[in-house]
Amino acid sequence: MGDVDYGQWGKKINKNEINYFRDIPCKKDINRAYFVATLYGLNKKKEDFLGTVFLKWLNEEKITIVETPASFLSKSKNSIDLKIKEQKSFSNQLEKDLYDMIVEASKDGILENKEFEKWCSKNYSKILGWFDKVLKEEKNKLILDGSLVETEQVKFKIFKSKVYQVQYSLREEAEYLAGLKKFLIDFSEMKNKEAIEVHLWKEYLMFAQIFGIANKVAKQFKNLYPDLITDMSYDNIIFVNNIAYTGVSQAVSARSRAQSYSSGG
């Protein structure tokens, strides 16, 4: 991301000092939220954001979850139906690039967990590089809208390096995002359950996935609002989370092995 000057507010956001935020911040843009969460350490792992994109595609019906019936030799299992024969529009080219990768991994338009793991292991640079491209694209957008201001910093009176100064508007977005995370973690324990914006549940789950807490939030929703989160939709959320996690974990492991081999060689 380059050197970042977080200004007088600093990078740390004290969760005890922020209020709950019940709306969807970052202009409801998951890519923007992913960048801000990464900038302020509100997320943990890259695979969490991949799960967010999968949830987005589920909501948009670009993908569906299908179940392969159990046979004499194997148990039933879930897969992602990519609907490769249908015309689909994407919010940006990077999203389309990711979809093409997923289709390639599936071979036949039906993506199984093991297929994705195998593809990610062989194509770790491609899938892991995609996350970096998303962050770079969002950084450029924030520079263009004035949320980040690019400056130069002189080091040792010789070397110049670029520094990106955080403006208050971006810090405010980060606090709203942190407030939403706090709200999603704590809301099941609140007495005032009617304060929850139930109509935003799909967006809540996508942002919870960015934070790495979608499984927990989905379970809370399922207990409180069984008419919204059915057994089937809950299972879909868990499966999407799992296939994203295991796939990218395989990519990270493969990259680590390649780096070890290179340094050892």
Side-chain angles (χ1 to χ4, degrees):
M1 264 189 214
D3 293 333
V4 176
D5 178 1
Y6 290 89
Q8 59 183 308
W9 316 286
K11 180 179 180 178
K12 185 177 180 180
I13 299 177
N14 190 333
K15 65 179 182 180
N16 296 321
E17 296 178 357
I18 58 173
N19 297 320
Y20 290 128
F21 193 77
R22 291 176 171 81
D23 207 344
I24 306 298
C26 299
K27 302 179 181 180
K28 296 188 176 183
D29 185 332
I30 59 171
N31 288 16
R32 189 181 183 98
Y34 172 53
F35 181 91
V36 176
T38 302
L39 190 66
Y40 280 89
L42 298 172
N43 58 355
K44 297 178 180 178
K45 301 175 182 177
K46 287 181 176 179
E47 57 266 20
D48 293 331
F49 182 63
L50 181 58
T52 301
V53 180
F54 283 171
L55 285 178
K56 178 176 182 284
W57 290 348
L58 269 178
N59 295 337
E60 296 170 344
E61 298 183 350
K62 288 184 172 70
I63 62 175
T64 55
I65 306 300
V66 293
E67 183 174 347
T68 304
S71 66
F72 177 73
L73 297 175
S74 63
K75 299 178 180 179
S76 61
K77 58 185 177 181
N78 288 344
S79 305
I80 293 179
D81 179 3
L82 295 161
K83 301 183 177 181
I84 58 177
K85 294 181 181 179
E86 297 181 8
Q87 292 291 327
K88 289 169 286 293
S89 60
F90 294 87
S91 58
N92 58 53
Q93 183 59 44
L94 284 176
E95 192 176 326
K96 174 65 165 59
D97 292 344
L98 177 63
Y99 194 87
D100 290 343
M101 285 185 234
I102 305 303
V103 170
E104 180 183 316
S106 74
K107 298 179 182 178
D108 60 357
I110 303 294
L111 182 69
E112 297 180 5
N113 203 336
K114 291 297 182 183
E115 284 181 322
F116 192 49
E117 287 182 24
K118 185 176 181 180
W119 186 90
C120 285
S121 183
K122 289 184 176 180
N123 299 273
Y124 61 87
S125 294
K126 197 172 181 180
I127 187 67
L128 296 179
W130 181 85
F131 294 97
D132 297 329
K133 290 178 181 178
V134 172
L135 292 174
K136 182 177 180 180
E137 181 177 85
E138 290 308 304
K139 182 182 74 174
N140 291 335
K141 288 180 181 179
L142 290 167
I143 292 171
L144 286 175
D145 71 17
S147 300
L148 282 174
V149 175
E150 185 178 324
T151 61
E152 282 190 343
Q153 186 180 71
V154 179
K155 294 182 177 180
F156 308 113
K157 299 182 180 182
I158 301 176
F159 304 106
K160 291 182 179 180
S161 62
K162 290 183 179 180
V163 176
Y164 302 94
Q165 294 180 336
V166 172
Q167 303 302 292
Y168 178 71
S169 60
L170 185 56
R171 167 69 185 195
E172 194 172 39
E173 283 190 67
E175 290 180 354
Y176 290 154
L177 201 59
L180 176 62
K181 181 179 181 180
K182 180 179 179 180
F183 170 66
L184 291 174
I185 290 174
D186 294 350
F187 85 91
S188 66
E189 300 174 2
M190 296 178 184
K191 295 180 180 179
N192 189 18
K193 297 293 194 307
E194 64 272 17
I196 297 172
E197 300 289 347
V198 177
H199 67 283
L200 296 176
W201 71 274
K202 289 183 178 180
E203 285 84 358
Y204 281 155
L205 286 175
M206 284 194 295
F207 277 67
Q209 182 66 40
I210 291 175
F211 303 136
I213 57 174
N215 288 7
K216 178 180 179 180
V217 173
K219 186 175 182 179
Q220 293 170 349
F221 264 121
K222 184 174 180 289
N223 292 336
L224 293 170
Y225 308 104
D227 55 327
L228 288 178
I229 305 290
T230 63
D231 289 339
M232 181 181 295
S233 57
Y234 177 72
D235 289 344
N236 288 350
I237 293 165
I238 300 301
F239 174 68
V240 160
N241 180 286
N242 183 60
I243 195 170
Y245 179 86
T246 56
V248 181
S249 293
Q250 283 294 320
V252 171
S253 297
R255 181 178 62 184
S256 179
R257 288 194 299 271
Q259 291 172 343
S260 297
Y261 178 80
S262 177
S263 60

